[in-house]
Every structure is written in structure tokens, then in C-alpha cells.
Amino acid sequence: MTASTRTGEILCVGELLWDALPKGLFLGGAPLNVAFHLHALGERVAVVSRVGDDRLGREALRRMADRGVATELVQVDPELDTGFVRVSLDEGKEHPAYTIEQPVAWDALALTGALSERAAGAAAVVFGTLAQRQETARRTVRALGDAAALAVLDVNLRPPYAPRSVVESSLAAADVVKLNEAELAQIGGWDGTSGTLRERAEALAQRFDCRTVCVTRGADGSALWHRGAWAERRAYPVKVKDAVGAGDAFLAALLSGLLAGHTCDDVLDAASRLAAYVATRSGATPEYQAGGIAGVQGLPLKPPADTDAG
């Protein structure tokens, strides 16, 4: 399909689940969180996942529709339950721990002709490693990523759900990769890659033929290698309420900025600002008014201590 006939839609593919936090149940899963934020940024987005034919599945579909995210590509499984995760927060509320139930509905995500057609016409397909823990979903996720004009990989190394073979084949399929610094170190260690952060990010891009590699560093900020250009940003100083979903907000702003053709520095700034804002709110997808990637600048935050590009 040529660029002129693509729809501009972004498909977010993978797990859809409920996070059981100390303060209640929150609808989530990285693909859904990213989709909610992309929608808030003015992007056309649809979620590709699978829920159970149960109360939590029906409530998930209702909430997605209420938030304006397309649900027609969410399958309903007649036997398996909707995904469910128990989340515990450390004292600083910055490092959530997850207990992920299995098997659940999203493990059985099936490839259909309608899904393949939508992926072939999409501007981008966002997928992760967690959703590929079972063979059925793995085949579907990989096929949709292969069909995309822009395959965006959100690395999520949660043992035992991300064996090296799955991670490396996902990297090979991706055009854009987002991962944290610990994940970059682990993947680099597999083939002995060393050096500065920039050298390690560039080595990953070259090894797997990626056009973009973004590395998040928590309170230390983030860095972006994009077609040979390099930028670094400090994190915005905020009082964290909970960090669940902050990385998903970051990815949404990163992708929206890249699709809009913004500079590396501006993309990182918008992504960092949105992630920081989400971390000051409860839950992964607090509602806010942005209206577009430029609107992220209107979110109330203090500027980072140092905003120079590296």
C-alpha cells in the first residue's frame, strides 16, 4: 500500500487488562494506555486486543468507547477471562511490581483478514514483548508489525515473559524502539556491546536496522537516537503520585512527535513532560486536555533543571 492510500490510523496491539492497585481497579495494559494518550494528543487510534466474555471485559469495552478509542478490533473470547494484574508500589512509588495472571483472553489474540488489512493501511503499529508470551498472540502481533508502515516496539523485559529469542526477533521487526536504560544494558550484554549511552543506542539501531531508538532513564531523563541525530533531556522534577503508565504516556508523545516531523529535542521534551504529568496523577491514563502534541506544553509542570541537547 502506498503512503498516499494509508489512513493515518495508529494501531496499538497487545494486552488489555485491569491493574489492581492499592486504591482500586484501573483499566490498563500498555497498548491501551498508549492508545488513550494518543487519542488525547489528537491521533486516530484503535486498540487490537482480546477480552473475556465477562463483566470486566464488558466494562473495558464501555470505558474505551467513553474515552473515544475505537473498540471494533477488540476480540471477545468465549472461555478465557479478561486480563488481570496485581500491582504493588514501592515506598517511593516509582518502581511498580506486577503479578500477571495467565492464561487470559489477550494470550489468544487471533489474526484475521480484517486485522491484517487495517495494519497494512495504518500509519503505525505499536506492539510490545509482554503480549508475545503465548504462541497464538505472538504470531498475530508479529504479523501485524510486519505489515505496518512503521513498526513501533515497546520493550518490556518482565521475566519470564520476554526470552531473548522473542526480544531479538521483535527488535529485528521494529523501526522505532523504546526501552529503558536497564533493558538497553541487558540486551547489549547479550552480544558484549559497551560504551557510552549514545554508542550503545546506536549499536542497537545498527544491529537491528532500526531508524529510531529511545532510551528512558527515570529521574535522569531520556535520550533519543534518530537517523544518526542524538538528543538528551533531563526529567521534569515532580512529586510522583504513582509511576504506572508514565512510560506509556512517554511513548505516545514520542510517536506523535515523530510522525509530525518534530526535532529530536522537541520530541523528547514533549514526551518527558507528558510522562511527568501522568506520574503526578493516580492511574495510568488520567484525563487531561492537550488537543495535540503542542498542547503538552500547557500541562502545569516546572521545567527540568537542564534542557540542553547532548
Side-chain angles (χ1 to χ4, degrees), residues 58-143:
R58 290 187 288 274
E59 180 62 15
L61 293 172
R62 186 191 70 79
R63 293 195 186 190
M64 290 171 63
D66 285 348
R67 292 286 291 268
V69 173
T71 63
E72 70 268 18
L73 298 180
V74 179
Q75 302 167 4
V76 178
D77 194 289
E79 298 179 0
L80 294 171
D81 293 336
T82 300
F84 195 85
V85 177
R86 291 175 177 83
V87 184
S88 58
L89 302 174
D90 63 2
E91 186 175 348
K93 300 181 180 180
E94 296 183 7
H95 302 286
Y98 304 87
T99 302
I100 308 171
E101 292 190 358
Q102 65 172 322
V104 292
W106 55 263
D107 288 314
L109 179 62
L111 183 64
T112 66
L115 283 183
S116 297
E117 185 176 351
R118 288 283 283 270
V125 169
V126 181
F127 68 102
T129 47
L130 177 59
Q132 299 181 63
R133 65 181 183 174
Q134 297 291 337
E135 181 64 26
T136 298
R138 187 183 309 142
R139 289 197 304 266
T140 301
V141 170
R142 195 64 51 77

Side-chain angles (χ1 to χ4, degrees), residues 158-208:
R158 289 184 185 160
Y161 304 126
R164 178 175 175 177
S165 60
V166 170
V167 175
E168 291 187 330
S169 60
S170 297
L171 287 166
D175 302 299
V176 176
V177 176
K178 191 217 93 177
L179 72 175
N180 64 39
E181 192 169 14
E183 290 165 341
L184 178 65
Q186 181 175 336
I187 293 169
W190 291 340
D191 65 353
T193 300
S194 61
T196 66
L197 182 65
R198 177 174 184 171
E199 289 169 341
R200 289 182 286 129
E202 187 168 6
L204 185 143
Q206 292 176 344
R207 179 183 173 194
F208 294 102

Side-chain angles (χ1 to χ4, degrees), residues 198 224 229-233 265 268 307-310:
R198 177 174 184 171
L224 179 64
W230 178 255
E232 294 185 44
R233 299 288 290 185
D265 197 53
L268 277 188
T307 58
D308 293 336

